[in-house]
Amino acid sequence: MQEAVTTMSSLQKDFVASFLRSQLATLQGVLAEIENSDRLEGGYIEESLRRIEKELCRFRRLYINN
């Protein structure tokens, strides 16, 4: 079975790239916190990871449905 290939418009590409950059920035902040702190702020890390998880799930649903 062959899967249909779809193309993205420039606007869609910009949206996807912007969204992923935003999530990447948050992940880089979490990574920096982990690497640079002797005492980790568990609340910040946990909340950031939950927010990223929710955003990625929402984004995946949007992407699949369009």
Side-chain angles (χ1 to χ4, degrees), residues 4-55:
V5 176
T6 59
T7 58
M8 295 173 75
S9 70
S10 292
L11 185 60
Q12 289 170 320
K13 286 180 191 178
D14 289 345
F15 173 75
V16 169
S18 176
F19 171 80
L20 292 175
R21 279 190 197 97
S22 172
Q23 301 313 307
L24 179 59
T26 304
L27 282 171
Q28 286 173 326
V30 169
L31 178 60
E33 177 71 23
I34 291 169
E35 290 179 331
N36 298 324
S37 179
D38 293 333
R39 196 184 71 191
L40 298 177
E41 294 273 340
Y44 166 74
I45 293 169
E46 186 176 338
E47 178 59 33
S48 295
L49 293 175
R50 280 194 179 138
R51 188 175 67 245
I52 291 167
E53 179 183 18
K54 287 179 185 178
E55 291 297 322

